[in-house]
Amino acid sequence: MTDDLLFEIGTEELPAGYILPALDFMEKEMRRRLRDLSLNFQRMKTGGTPRRLMICVQGLDSRQPDRREQVTGPSLKVAFDVEGKPTKAAKGFASSRGGSVEDLQVVSTPKGEYVMLIQELKGRDSIDLLQEELPGLIKDIPFPKSMRWGANSYSFARPIQWLLALFGQQVINFSFNDLTASDTTRGHRFLAPEEVKVKDCDQYISILREREVIVDFYERRQKIEKEVKDVVSEVGAEVIDDQELLDTVTNLVEMPVPVCGSFDRKFLELPPEVLISAMREHQKYFTVVDQAGRILPWFIAVNNTRVSGQVNGAAGHERVLRARLEDALFFYNEDRKKNLEERLPYLNGVIFQAQLGSMGEKANRLEGLAAYLAAGIVPDQQYAVIRAARLAKADLVTDLVGEFPTLQGVMGKYYALADGEDKDVAQAIADHYLPVRSGGRLPATTAGAVVGLADRFDTLAGCFGIGEKPTGTADPYGLRRHALALIHIITGYNLNISLKECAYKALGLYGGKLSLPEDRAAGDMIDFIKGRFVNDLISRGVSSEAVEAVTSLGFDNVV
């Protein structure tokens, strides 16, 4: 016989980025636990909103099968002494498995003779097994940050408010912290907050839908995508395609209600990236554009509740966005009162790394290293490379980048153009931060690629020169990301350069700031880059044997 398992963890609002990884873990962990228990099932599905994480296992065996287990224990020499009497090891092994020394058998293995215990295990009811497993599942869900509340023993991403656990129509009786599992769930916090009883998985979905909650992530996402497009199509406009933002917004609401708001046209004089960042990063709004891709003075917000009237629904969003755009416009106008060259001295007041000095010192090294690279890679573009390297970090001390840190480099480009700098210089300033992540867009210009290489070589050399290399999952200076970006720029532009020569040049520009010998720092740095190179190729399906065979012969010219 089979039945369905329905398990829901009801919480205070979870951060949007926590939900999908938690659901993915719950599914994988549930599959593992059921497999270890020899329980079969037909289907498994998950669902989540800001206030709940749910998993439903359909067609789950009602009872564990009877089974025979062969458990290998200590070696024969350890289990019995020279007189053939059982040792503490043999007795302890037998006792731990619920047997006796008389039940032990001797088996031959490739490693020698060992004792073994054969156990006839009677299957248990699934509901009893789940009662033991579900508290552990809750405890094991990993989050970037967790919290404790009240006097409870166990932590979670946010306080847990209720637990729903059913096998068939029976409640799985277990407790977690101060909560006991039941057969009730809750609807939308504002539109239907009362508790409601649930019978099974299918009824659970429909009950929540009646109470203004779409629990399925993909259904909720599809609804947002369609309704956002419907709203803007009425005025002949479009929204900028942003799948990442769509995922985030989907996990911010339980019942999405898109509304269209507007802002003053005067803000259109801001660079498009500023408008998009203000709407996307801070407010989670979709940016509206015309057919030619020009930003229009509208935005789409997705509410989590229904408000009477479009105007009322958008008014609050408009007030918040107006204040942020007023700040952005003020900062933009103030920033343009000084050119980038005039801002360079202010970099001396910004710490790059405590042992390695200021951003002003980094800018000077960057200029020298970029000049060295340009001479060998793009001798005809040396002016653009050197000038861009000199100004590359100047926008870090502008007010607008202070307000919108993700616009570093982008604002440097706009300010450079406003200062009358060459277009190639301005573009290289923006490009030198690319790629931002693995598989991201490469610099659009060779000059930008060279400045980007110089920036990465400098950071890697400095950190390895003082022994600050990544350990385990800790990588506070993003060195793995820098090494991978360096590799992708070199391969993307097919650059024949010596990593060893570049490493020594970068290390030499630090003067006496480094604590490790140059040879050791350069070796560690190149080995680290090699490791990223190997991992990157293997992750893309290249044979690990082939990669190891080639790189073991030497690693200096990536191309």
Side-chain angles (χ1 to χ4, degrees), residues 252-263:
L252 287 172
V253 297
E254 292 198 307
M255 178 53 71
V257 183
V259 296
C260 183
S262 64
F263 56 85

Side-chain angles (χ1 to χ4, degrees), residues 310-446:
Q310 172 78 12
V311 174
N312 292 332
H317 297 293
E318 290 173 346
R319 284 195 299 272
V320 174
L321 182 60
R322 185 185 306 118
R324 189 161 290 282
L325 293 180
E326 287 284 7
D327 287 345
L329 187 58
F330 173 78
F331 292 145
Y332 181 61
N333 290 328
E334 288 297 304
D335 284 343
R336 288 189 294 176
K337 292 178 181 178
K338 283 189 178 76
N339 62 39
L340 293 179
E341 183 73 34
E342 292 174 310
R343 292 186 178 277
L344 292 179
Y346 295 99
L347 289 173
N348 293 321
V350 179
I351 297 298
F352 166 52
Q353 200 277 343
Q355 290 177 251
L356 301 177
S358 69
M359 289 301 300
E361 292 172 287
K362 180 177 176 66
N364 290 332
R365 291 193 305 273
L366 192 56
E367 189 176 354
L369 188 53
Y372 166 79
L373 292 170
I377 297 173
V378 280
D380 58 327
Q381 297 182 43
Q382 287 189 71
Y383 170 77
V385 170
I386 295 170
R387 184 63 179 164
R390 177 174 177 79
L391 302 177
K393 304 299 181 183
D395 67 346
L396 295 179
V397 288
T398 62
D399 291 331
L400 195 55
V401 172
E403 180 74 6
F404 300 96
T406 57
L407 295 180
Q408 59 184 5
V410 173
M411 293 315 303
K413 169 187 172 181
Y414 282 105
Y415 292 145
L417 290 172
D419 296 343
E421 299 285 349
D422 188 87
K423 289 182 180 179
D424 291 338
V425 172
Q427 188 61 49
I429 292 172
D431 282 351
H432 91 280
Y433 284 107
L434 302 176
V436 176
R437 60 180 65 87
S438 178
R441 182 166 52 92
L442 292 176
T445 63
T446 309

Side-chain angles (χ1 to χ4, degrees), residues 47-62:
T49 74
R51 296 185 68 214
R52 69 199 74 231
L53 300 171
M54 178 277 293
I55 187 164
C56 178
V57 183
Q58 296 176 308
L60 178 63
D61 288 344
S62 298

Side-chain angles (χ1 to χ4, degrees), residues 3-7 30 34 55-60 130 134 165-168 172 201:
D3 240 321
D4 295 346
L5 164 67
L6 174 61
F7 179 46
M30 181 63 79
L34 294 179
I55 187 164
C56 178
V57 183
Q58 296 176 308
L60 178 63
L130 292 168
L134 293 181
L166 288 174
F167 186 61
I172 303 171
C201 284

Side-chain angles (χ1 to χ4, degrees), residues 3-7 126-132 134 163-175 179-185 196-200:
D3 240 321
D4 295 346
L5 164 67
L6 174 61
F7 179 46
S126 296
I127 193 167
D128 296 330
L129 295 169
L130 292 168
Q131 182 178 337
E132 299 169 1
L134 293 181
L163 293 168
L164 164 64
L166 288 174
F167 186 61
Q169 295 188 9
Q170 284 184 277
V171 174
I172 303 171
N173 186 24
F174 74 91
S175 296
L179 291 171
T180 300
S182 72
D183 59 353
T184 62
T185 186
V196 57
K197 284 185 177 292
V198 177
K199 289 183 179 179
D200 53 39

